[in-house]
């Protein structure tokens, strides 16, 4: 039985906090992908764009999907070492190739693929993230992972090293299966049951994608969020004469597919209040309250807790020494700040090294720095090569 893609939907948005959207997406039947870039300035956008561009036009076997991702990894790694402004850039990629009756999924990082079948939503990919590893090892619960201060630290990415391990998962498909590919800005803000509820109630996949991204923004929109949806099915005899219309190719930038104003579905009823300004006002009020709490906590830290340090992962993916407590207030105010960044990328550490170092044990700055120093002394090859500048 050969299945074809009968419907697609996609949406992406910068969110409520970030200045730019570093997610990228690809709809190029039979290949679909989401990538979530990271790196200074605009480097994240470059990395995610390079990842999805490498998959554009693919059609062959499942092998070629993983090979294309490995090729993209090499190009991103080289580009980041040739251009100082791109140093340290990386990206996740979660892609699917619809091949006969199989969904071939290839995956690196913490973006996700979900299978929605008969009203049930199931995550197909493993998160290559610090908290994902801790959950799989039974050291923290999924609920703890959701508010973990280092939930955004990923342990595998394209561009981090000369080679990359790509997870390939083959899912035998059934007619009416829907696959959801999304960045962590969606799955991190919206719970799995809520994702399923939104997908169930939407009348089309485009509507579902829009509503999913809107839900991420309503929950705080802490990150860029992107959703790509596709539904597979059997081409009926009646359709046989007129082949299913191939969906138009959509390729980056994700910014081009934002949710738009929240009122675009409202009818001609002028008396309907506009929800957007109310939400914005409430958001500002939350921000003010959070700032007051943040300042109070910062005062406490300054007064008595400034000597507390722990080892953590920096936003750029390196081992760093943090001052403060590994905690975040509900509105995202961090009770910690980075005081020293090492040249050791998290991605090159073994699982044991990572869990040993990033256990958030509190101590003096000297102890934290000493642990990193002894790791570098024992394994100098772990350090990232420095740029020529
Ligand atoms: Mn993200």
């Amino acid at each position: 039985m050969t299945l074809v893609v009968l419907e697609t939907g996609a949406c992406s948005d910068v969110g409520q906090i970030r200045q730019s959207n570093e997610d990228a997406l690809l709809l190029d039947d039979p290949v679909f992908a989401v990538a979530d870039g990271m790196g200074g300035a605009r480097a994240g956008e470059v990395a995610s764009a390079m990842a999805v561009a490498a998959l554009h036009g693919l059609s062959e076997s499942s092998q070629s999907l993983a090979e294309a991702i490995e090729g993209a990894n090499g190009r991103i790694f080289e580009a980041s070492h040739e251009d100082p402004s791109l140093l340290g850039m990386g990206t996740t990629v979660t892609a699917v190739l619809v091949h006969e009756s199989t969904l071939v999924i290839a995956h690196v990082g913490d973006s996700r693929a979900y299978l929605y079948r008969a009203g049930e939503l199931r995550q197909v990919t493993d998160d290559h993230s610090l908290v994902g590893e801790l959950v799989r090892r039974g050291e923290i619960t999924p609920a703890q992972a959701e508010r973990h201060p280092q939930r955004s630290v990923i342990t595998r990415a394209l561009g981090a090293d000369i080679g990359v391990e790509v997870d390939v998962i083959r899912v035998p498909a059934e007619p009416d299966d829907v696959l959801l590919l999304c960045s962590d800005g969606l799955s991190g803000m919206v719970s799995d049951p809520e994702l399923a509820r939104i997908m169930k109630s939407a009348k089309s996949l485009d509507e579902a994608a829009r509503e999913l991204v809107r839900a991420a923004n309503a929950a705080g929109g802490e990150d860029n969020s992107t959703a790509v949806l596709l539904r597979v099915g059997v081409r009926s005899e009646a359709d046989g004469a007129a082949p299913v219309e191939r969906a138009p190719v959509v390729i980056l930038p994700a910014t081009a597919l934002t949710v738009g104003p929240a009122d675009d579905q409202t009818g001609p009823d002028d008396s309907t209040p506009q929800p957007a300004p109310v939400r914005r006002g409430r958001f500002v009020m939350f921000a003010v309250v959070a700032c007051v709490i943040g300042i109070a906590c910062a005062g406490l830290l300054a007064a008595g807790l400034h000597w507390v340090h722990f080892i953590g992962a920096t936003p750029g993916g390196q081992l760093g020494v943090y001052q403060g407590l590994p905690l975040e207030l509900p509105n995202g105010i961090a009770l910690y700040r980075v005081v020293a960044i090492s040249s050791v990328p998290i991605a090159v550490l073994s699982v044991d090294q990572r869990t040993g170092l990033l256990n958030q044990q509190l101590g003096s700055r000297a102890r934290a720095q000493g642990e990193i120093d002894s790791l570098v002394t024992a394994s100098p090859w772990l350090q990232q090569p420095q740029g020529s500048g």
Side-chain angles (χ1 to χ4, degrees):
M1 178 178 59
T2 293
L3 296 174
V4 294
V5 176
L6 295 178
E7 188 191 358
T8 64
C11 189
S12 182
D13 195 72
V14 66
Q16 310 270 30
I17 311 269
R18 302 291 175 93
Q19 296 300 310
S20 62
N21 191 345
E22 300 188 322
D23 287 358
L25 59 86
L26 174 72
L27 284 82
D28 184 21
D29 187 9
V31 182
F32 302 84
V34 164
D36 176 353
M38 64 217 75
R42 299 264 153 169
E45 279 168 64
V46 174
S48 62
M50 287 176 77
V52 300
L55 306 177
H56 174 49
L58 277 191
S59 62
E60 296 310 310
S61 68
S62 55
Q63 186 65 18
S64 67
L65 189 61
E67 277 174 4
I69 289 174
E70 284 163 11
N73 174 70
R75 283 194 292 281
I76 295 167
F77 181 77
E78 276 169 28
S80 77
H81 286 78
E82 281 164 10
D83 182 342
S85 74
L86 301 178
L87 185 66
M89 72 171 170
T91 183
T92 72
V93 67
T94 301
V96 60
L97 173 74
V98 182
H99 181 65
E100 294 175 352
S101 64
T102 305
L103 302 172
V104 183
I105 295 159
H107 162 70
V108 175
D110 69 348
S111 300
R112 291 180 176 177
Y114 287 93
L115 180 66
Y116 182 73
R117 175 179 289 171
E120 301 282 319
L121 189 72
R122 174 171 73 86
Q123 186 181 339
V124 178
T125 48
D126 282 335
D127 296 345
H128 300 144
S129 65
L130 184 65
V131 292
E133 285 178 2
L134 293 173
V135 168
R136 284 195 290 283
R137 289 159 65 105
E139 290 178 23
I140 62 173
T141 66
Q144 287 172 318
E146 277 174 26
R147 294 311 302 173
H148 197 284
Q150 298 187 329
R151 62 190 176 278
S152 62
V153 173
I154 62 173
T155 50
R156 241 195 261 178
L158 299 193
D161 205 346
I162 194 93
V164 69
E165 187 187 347
V166 181
D167 284 1
V168 177
I169 304 141
R170 289 177 179 77
V171 179
E174 293 174 7
D176 258 350
D177 278 354
V178 173
L179 200 73
L180 163 65
L181 308 178
C182 67
S183 60
D184 69 326
L186 175 58
S187 56
M189 302 303 304
V190 184
S191 68
D192 288 7
E194 181 66 4
L195 294 175
R197 192 197 62 74
I198 293 168
M199 290 175 70
K200 189 171 287 183
S201 65
K203 290 175 200 72
S204 70
L205 292 188
D206 252 329
E207 183 189 323
R210 255 194 332 265
E211 291 305 319
L212 289 168
V213 168
R214 223 169 249 163
N217 283 343
E222 290 175 10
D223 192 4
N224 311 146
S225 65
T226 299
V228 166
L229 289 157
L230 55 128
R231 183 167 61 86
V232 296
V234 185
R235 186 182 310 182
S236 73
E237 287 302 313
D239 296 334
V244 176
E245 199 181 321
R246 197 170 184 275
V249 174
V250 179
I251 182 167
L252 60 112
T255 13
L257 288 167
T258 54
V259 281
D263 56 350
D264 60 2
Q265 252 96 47
T266 54
D269 183 5
D270 290 338
S271 66
T272 309
Q274 300 287 312
V278 178
R279 253 210 311 273
R280 178 118 332 162
R282 214 181 295 148
F283 178 73
V284 170
M285 198 178 71
F286 279 141
V288 169
V289 172
C291 281
V292 170
I293 296 171
I295 289 164
C297 292
L300 273 179
L301 271 184
L305 296 173
H306 65 95
W307 53 269
V308 177
H309 291 76
F310 63 97
I311 297 174
T314 66
Q318 269 124 336
L319 279 183
V321 176
Y322 281 76
Q323 182 187 54
L325 294 171
L327 294 172
E328 254 177 46
L329 298 179
N331 278 294
I333 305 290
L335 299 186
Y336 51 82
R337 67 185 185 104
V338 68
V339 291
I341 300 176
S342 79
S343 52
V344 180
I346 302 295
V348 303
L349 300 176
S350 70
V351 171
D352 285 343
Q353 283 171 323
R354 275 201 292 274
T355 44
L357 286 165
L358 301 172
N359 56 8
Q360 301 183 349
Q361 199 183 321
L362 300 177
S364 69
R365 178 170 180 168
R367 185 201 66 91
Q369 190 62 55
E371 274 196 53
I372 296 177
D373 290 346
S374 53
L375 174 78
V376 171
T377 308
S379 316
W381 58 85
L382 291 176
Q383 294 181 86
Q384 195 165 51
Q386 296 299 307
S388 54

